[in-house]
Amino acid sequence: MTEENYDLLSEKFENEVKKSQKTTFTNNMKLPIHRWYRYSAGFSAEWVEDILKTLPIGLNVYDPFAGSGTVMIAADKMGFNSIGVDPHPFVSKMTSAKLGWNISVDEYQTTIKKVLNFALKANEINISTDDYPPLIEKSYSKDNLAKLDALKHGLETVEMSEQVKPLVWFTLATILRSASGVGTAQWQYILPTRKTHEFNAFDAFKAKADQISEDMIIYQKKYQKKSKFLATDARNAFEVPENWADIVITSPPYANNYDYADATRLEMSFFGTVQSWGDLQEKVRKYLIRSSTQSVSKLKDATFDIAKDDLLSPIYSELQPILEQLLAERETHGGKKNYHTMIVNYFLDMAKVMHDLRRVVKQNGEIIMVIGDSAPYGVYIPVDRWLGELALSQGFTEWHFAKERDRNIKWKNRTHTVPLKEGYLTIKG
Ligand SMILES: C[S@@+](CC[C@H](N)C(=O)[O-])C[C@H]1O[C@@H](n2cnc3c(N)ncnc32)[C@H](O)[C@@H]1O
């Protein structure tokens, strides 16, 4: 093979790598602000920027499932107006803090120093950390938990402006994974058993604050903040103006049983937001799209009635037999998961989102949605097609799905063999 061919091949390989990572957050960890924390459910900022590059600057961009704010940070960089919504109590707090990248860097740094000094002194007194729930005690050494606790007291005690407080809180929240000595993974809850390296909480706090300051300076020099974030529900985001969005770039939860509430249990337990399993239900899940069986446990008996909701009429004839199939499968599996209940509620919620999108999106607007299909108990759910049909029934005029990658084809521990895909659902109208 000639030198030239090698170059072409390596270029092709690089493009492939880049392409295959469009639907993942991985590359964002190299980008200012996006890199402040890894949101495993997030997508690629470069992919969002590539879309925005093709559009006239100044258009209105909406993300109804804003997550860590990838779309809004990209929109700020590219000169677009944007609104994002996400009602998850913890994720939304993180994202609104992150979008405070335009506050005074001096004030942020001075406050961080004060909190750190307070914590260093408090840590010498050796305050008891016995009041934390068992999950937190298992996730940290006594020494590092005492440091984190001292930082938390610093955050509560040091006088600071309302403007700077969210970002200082955010700084502490982002180090809770790296300061843990067990396998907590990135933004997914894993039983705290696997030992990993534990970063000294004071060093991690200082390093994170340095990174945040550096990125704030970069963004403040070059860009103007035009984004707005609302901790509200995409099923009825009435604060987002009617007929406002030229384009929607988004990725909803998938119908794959990923539990966004449980994913942030470590952080919410540390800050005392949730104390128990019941709290996760009451304080988090009830606000979210029902994409996990945990959120629908009480609705099992209503499954087939819910399927008759008018909003689901465009897919009812296909949905109903699939629900029957899922119920039958349930009987043959030990876990007895209520996937039938999850699926019906997922599509009902997404139909409500399509209804609200029709209100927000301009008549000639466009929606680009990263979405994956699913196969609970091996029963294939044509997520992209059903979402497309639900969109048409709300008044959009056309939909199209383009596959980006295959899923569930290489993992040895997969629970079924149904090939799955992930890609872009484009909706117009
Ligand atoms: C796939 S993630 C989106 C990640 C985002 N694209 C990013 O890069 O960070 C889906 C998000 O939808 C949010 N979500 C769940 N229910 C919602 C609802 N009813 N309204 C708006 N957002 C919701 C979840 O909290 C989660 O952050």
Side-chain angles (χ1 to χ4, degrees):
M1 197 184 282
T2 64
E3 197 67 24
E4 199 179 46
N5 281 346
Y6 270 118
D7 283 351
L8 280 175
L9 193 68
S10 92
E11 194 181 311
K12 182 172 175 286
F13 178 70
E14 271 181 34
N15 285 339
E16 282 304 309
V17 170
K18 217 175 153 191
K19 198 172 159 220
S20 68
Q21 289 178 342
K22 281 182 187 173
T23 52
T24 71
F25 197 83
T26 323
N27 284 341
N28 294 7
M29 294 312 286
K30 296 179 202 137
L31 300 173
I33 308 204
H34 297 284
R35 66 174 176 160
W36 290 356
Y37 68 89
R38 185 192 292 273
Y39 190 44
S40 62
F43 54 33
S44 152
E46 283 168 343
W47 171 71
V48 177
E49 288 177 14
D50 283 348
I51 296 175
L52 294 179
K53 266 181 211 155
T54 66
L55 302 170
I57 288 179
L59 291 189
N60 295 341
V61 187
Y62 178 43
D63 185 351
F65 300 101
S68 62
T70 308
V71 168
M72 287 116 83
I73 294 158
D76 279 345
K77 176 174 166 187
M78 310 290 290
F80 288 79
N81 307 308
S82 65
I83 301 182
V85 309
D86 196 318
H88 190 301
F90 184 77
V91 173
S92 62
K93 202 170 167 185
M94 293 292 275
T95 304
S96 25
K98 203 172 168 188
L99 291 168
W101 60 261
N102 60 335
I103 64 166
S104 155
V105 183
D106 279 350
E107 188 186 349
Y108 170 71
Q109 285 174 328
T110 316
T111 316
I112 287 284
K113 260 185 214 143
K114 284 187 195 161
V115 170
L116 196 53
N117 286 339
F118 176 97
L120 285 163
K121 279 193 197 127
N123 194 232
E124 282 165 16
I125 311 167
N126 223 346
I127 307 166
S128 158
T129 52
D130 294 346
D131 290 344
Y132 280 99
L135 167 66
I136 295 300
E137 282 177 1
K138 277 190 236 160
S139 299
Y140 300 97
S141 67
K142 265 200 165 328
D143 180 49
N144 230 19
L145 183 54
K147 290 188 168 79
L148 290 167
D149 184 68
L151 286 165
K152 190 166 84 171
H153 279 292
L155 183 66
E156 286 156 4
T157 316
V158 168
E159 245 181 70
M160 61 184 87
S161 74
E162 288 306 311
Q163 261 207 328
V164 81
K165 195 169 191 157
L167 207 51
V168 180
W169 170 86
F170 173 96
T171 313
L172 177 56
T174 57
I175 64 162
L176 291 175
R177 299 276 162 152
S178 60
S180 168
V182 298
T184 55
Q186 290 294 345
W187 287 80
Q188 300 193 35
Y189 174 66
I190 285 181
L191 280 176
T193 46
R194 192 163 46 84
K195 290 277 166 215
T196 61
H197 178 68
E198 173 184 89
F199 280 100
N200 176 308
F202 291 153
D203 295 343
F205 186 70
K206 180 153 186 327
K208 182 51 73 178
D210 288 346
Q211 185 194 60
I212 290 176
S213 308
E214 198 179 304
D215 292 357
M216 283 165 82
I217 294 168
I218 297 173
Y219 255 57
Q220 289 182 13
K221 267 199 186 138
K222 292 180 156 174
Y223 314 120
Q224 207 193 336
K225 181 179 136 75
K226 293 181 170 180
S227 56
K228 193 170 161 187
F229 176 75
L230 303 162
T232 194
D233 187 334
R235 287 169 292 190
N236 182 15
F238 61 89
E239 290 157 85
V240 182
E242 216 165 282
N243 217 15
W244 180 84
D246 295 288
I247 179 147
V248 173
I249 305 175
T250 197
S251 177
Y254 295 2
N256 63 0
N257 211 21
Y258 180 77
D259 183 0
Y260 283 93
D262 203 19
T264 57
R265 182 138 61 111
L266 181 82
E267 287 83 0
M268 296 184 94
S269 303
F270 174 77
F271 285 110
T273 328
V274 297
Q275 321 274 349
S276 62
W277 183 254
D279 275 356
L280 281 181
Q281 193 70 18
E282 267 313 292
K283 297 186 177 168
V284 191
R285 284 193 197 107
K286 97 175 181 201
Y287 301 105
L288 305 180
I289 298 291
R290 289 164 294 177
S291 58
S292 79
T293 52
Q294 280 92 335
S295 12
V296 295
S297 47
K298 294 204 177 108
L299 294 169
K300 180 165 71 77
D301 297 338
T303 304
F304 290 91
D305 285 336
I306 295 170
K308 291 183 191 138
D309 194 298
D310 281 350
L311 283 169
L312 292 175
S313 62
I315 59 169
Y316 181 77
S317 61
E318 270 193 280
L319 175 67
Q320 212 275 347
I322 283 186
L323 298 179
E324 298 278 7
Q325 219 180 322
L326 286 170
L327 179 61
E329 281 295 330
R330 178 184 186 274
E331 300 312 314
T332 68
H333 289 77
K336 300 248 176 298
K337 295 229 189 277
N338 294 316
Y339 286 133
H340 58 312
T341 317
M342 175 189 98
I343 289 296
V344 77
N345 284 291
Y346 176 80
F347 284 100
L348 182 61
D349 286 349
M350 289 304 292
K352 290 179 182 164
V353 172
M354 292 300 176
H355 181 76
D356 204 56
L357 282 173
R358 187 57 288 178
R359 181 186 66 79
V360 171
V361 178
K362 291 181 184 168
Q363 279 311 313
N364 56 352
E366 186 164 326
I367 300 172
I368 302 172
M369 191 179 270
V370 176
I371 187 76
D373 45 21
S374 66
Y377 283 152
V379 177
Y380 182 70
I381 313 289
V383 178
D384 46 301
R385 186 159 54 77
W386 285 1
L387 290 182
E389 285 169 22
L390 292 175
L392 295 196
S393 73
Q394 291 303 327
F396 289 97
T397 53
E398 53 179 293
W399 68 268
H400 170 77
F401 180 78
K403 185 174 88 174
E404 170 73 23
R405 63 183 183 117
D406 292 306
R407 291 153 64 222
N408 205 39
I409 47 174
K410 61 180 175 189
W411 306 111
K412 284 203 185 90
N413 60 351
R414 64 193 179 197
T415 50
H416 60 77
T417 51
V418 181
L420 295 175
K421 60 187 187 306
E422 191 173 40
Y424 313 109
L425 177 66
T426 310
I427 297 167
K428 291 186 185 171

